[in-house]
């Protein structure tokens, strides 16, 4: 019988391998950190001469069974045994292996901008021990010129901010296409304290309070009668529409900036009626617009005590 591991390995797509190199100070660390956040396995300052051994290691690529996580390997002029010509020869050898999908990313930056960055951070250029940073940058640029010519991908970071570079890496190297930020919609009662962590807090206490209706008091914002009561408030429809449209406008921008988590909280006095109903309605509207929010009601199980409600009068 054929070996199961051999069969599964043969049916797997090629191992994606990205070599990340370039000028010191051009953004390699930023790129590797962003790739790691995107689900890549990261190895920095790795001697390329050991690449064969790495690829032969069981489980290279990690990830779940049947899934090969892409690997990004960072190296530069400081890496032990660094020789651009030897690196290129080894890359050519690996490029012919059908089980690998190998590419090289070179990060460049103008010498003037690199010098500014070194002066700003007060760091010494590794190739300029007793000379100005400019001389080390010139020597490094000459050393790396073969790799720059060879690399399939080139990113010049001269005019890029850190956020610009992170966004560019996300656009080019995101693993899969269905990645979404983690979105939480919650309700809470101000009388029981503010939520400890929230990106947005909407105070719904301007709406008429169902608590003062004896029949509605034991109910919650999930009950139809409470929802009808809140909807009859003349301020609800316009406020809800404006809040919803603001959220729908901001969420794609947060995604574009690489924000991983967004928590939107709705509060009322006790956290059982107005905030619960509004959170439920917002969550449903977001689902209709392609988002998958997690819905949490912090105080839904709390007792509807007169003391808590009367303490604020609203």
């Amino acid at each position: 019988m054929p070996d199961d591991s051999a069969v599964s390995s043969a049916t797997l797509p090629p191992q994606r391998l990205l070599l990340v190199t370039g000028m010191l100070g051009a953004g390699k660390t930023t790129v590797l950190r962003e790739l790691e956040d995107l689900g890549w396995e990261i190895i920095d300052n790795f001697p390329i001469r050991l690449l064969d051994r790495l690829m032969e290691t069981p489980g290279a690529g990690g990830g779940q069974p049947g899934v090969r996580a892409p690997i990004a390997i960072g190296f530069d002029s400081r890496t032990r045994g660094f020789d651009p010509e030897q690196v290129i020869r080894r890359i050519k050898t690996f490029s012919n292996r059908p089980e690998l999908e190998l590419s090289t990313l070179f990060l460049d930056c103008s010498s003037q901008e690199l010098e500014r960055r070194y002066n700003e951070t007060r760091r010494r250029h590794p190739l300029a021990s007793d000379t100005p940073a400019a001389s080390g940058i010139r020597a490094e640029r000459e050393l790396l010129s073969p790799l720059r010519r060879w690399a399939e991908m080139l990113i010049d970071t001269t005019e890029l901010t850190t956020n610009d570079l992170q966004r560019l890496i996300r656009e080019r190297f995101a693993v899969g296409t269905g990645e979404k930020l983690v979105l939480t919609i919650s309700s809470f009662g101000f009388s029981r304290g503010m939520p400890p962590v929230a990106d947005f807090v909407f105070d719904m206490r301007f709406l008429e309070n169902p608590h003062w209706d004896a029949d509605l008091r034991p109910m919650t914002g999930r009950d139809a009668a409470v929802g009808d009561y809140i909807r009859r408030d003349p301020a609800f429809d316009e406020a809800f529409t404006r809040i919803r449209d603001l959220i729908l406008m901001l969420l794609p921008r947060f995604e574009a900036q690489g924000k991983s988590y967004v928590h939107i909280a709705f509060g009322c006095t006790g956290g059982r009626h107005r905030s619960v109903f509004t959170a439920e309605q917002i969550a449903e509207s977001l689902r209709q617009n392609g988002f998958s929010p997690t819905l949490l009601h912090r105080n839904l199980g709390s007792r509807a005590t007169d003391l808590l409600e009367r303490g604020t009068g609203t």
Side-chain angles (χ1 to χ4, degrees):
M1 294 181 62
D3 181 62
D4 290 341
S5 62
V7 173
S8 62
S9 177
T11 59
L12 287 174
Q15 172 68 64
R16 192 176 182 186
L17 181 63
L18 177 66
L19 305 180
V20 183
T21 188
M23 298 291 292
L24 295 170
K28 178 168 69 74
T29 299
T30 297
V31 168
L32 292 177
R33 286 175 178 170
E34 190 64 28
L35 288 172
E36 186 173 26
D37 289 344
L38 291 173
W40 289 63
E41 183 177 350
I42 302 302
I43 306 174
D44 198 7
N45 296 321
F46 184 78
I48 299 300
R49 68 179 184 276
L50 300 179
L51 198 54
D52 301 77
R53 190 177 304 175
L54 173 67
M55 290 296 99
E56 293 169 0
T57 302
Q64 301 173 352
V67 178
R68 283 177 172 171
I71 301 176
I73 296 178
F75 64 97
D76 52 45
S77 58
R78 299 169 298 178
T79 303
R80 185 175 180 182
F82 178 76
D83 183 330
E85 296 294 348
Q86 289 186 9
V87 169
I88 292 173
R89 285 195 293 270
R90 194 163 294 274
I91 292 174
K92 288 181 179 179
T93 301
F94 274 85
S95 297
N96 296 326
R97 292 174 57 169
E99 74 275 17
L100 290 180
E101 180 185 328
L102 188 147
S103 54
T104 305
L105 169 62
F106 190 96
L107 299 165
D108 202 357
C109 185
S110 71
S111 298
Q112 183 178 3
E113 173 62 15
L114 287 173
E115 188 173 359
R116 185 195 67 78
R117 293 177 186 180
Y118 273 100
N119 289 336
E120 188 176 80
T121 60
R122 299 183 180 180
R123 296 186 63 189
R124 186 184 299 274
H125 193 286
L127 301 186
S129 56
D130 298 319
T131 57
S135 62
I137 293 170
R138 283 194 300 270
E140 183 188 18
R141 192 174 296 284
E142 183 177 353
L143 175 67
L144 295 179
S145 59
L147 266 176
R148 188 184 191 280
R149 292 192 299 268
W150 171 261
E152 295 95 336
M153 292 174 283
L154 173 68
I155 296 179
D156 190 324
T157 67
T158 304
E159 302 294 335
L160 299 181
T161 66
T162 298
N163 286 339
D164 291 336
L165 180 56
Q166 290 172 330
R167 183 165 55 250
L168 185 58
I169 294 302
R170 287 194 299 272
E171 292 172 355
R172 292 195 183 187
F173 299 105
V175 179
T177 57
E179 300 282 332
K180 294 285 186 180
L181 55 77
V182 178
L183 177 60
T184 301
I185 306 296
S186 72
S187 68
F188 71 96
F190 281 99
S191 59
R192 296 173 172 89
M194 290 279 288
V197 179
D199 298 284
F200 296 96
V201 175
F202 292 96
D203 186 345
M204 308 309 295
R205 289 177 293 184
F206 63 89
L207 298 172
E208 291 294 330
N209 193 348
H211 174 83
W212 301 118
D213 185 311
D215 293 331
L216 299 179
R217 186 176 304 162
M219 301 181 187
T220 73
R222 285 178 163 176
D223 293 303
V226 173
D228 291 342
Y229 181 96
I230 295 172
R231 284 190 184 279
R232 286 196 297 269
D233 190 310
F236 177 78
D237 283 342
E238 182 179 358
F240 178 85
T241 299
R242 292 192 179 195
I243 293 171
R244 178 201 63 199
D245 291 349
L246 174 65
I247 293 171
L248 289 174
M249 184 271 289
L250 292 176
L251 289 180
R253 297 185 65 85
F254 281 135
E255 284 188 303
Q257 293 294 329
K259 189 172 176 64
S260 299
Y261 303 92
V262 173
H263 179 187
I264 302 170
F266 294 88
C268 62
T269 306
R272 303 182 71 253
H273 296 112
R274 293 164 291 182
S275 61
V276 171
F277 176 73
T278 307
E280 293 270 347
Q281 296 302 305
I282 287 291
E284 178 58 30
S285 182
L286 290 175
R287 292 189 192 101
Q288 294 173 4
N289 283 274
F291 294 92
S292 301
T294 297
L295 189 58
L296 302 175
H297 297 301
R298 192 188 72 180
N299 301 125
L300 193 59
S302 303
R303 292 185 302 112
T305 59
D306 290 349
L307 177 62
L308 287 171
E309 297 288 353
R310 288 173 182 165
T312 61
T314 58

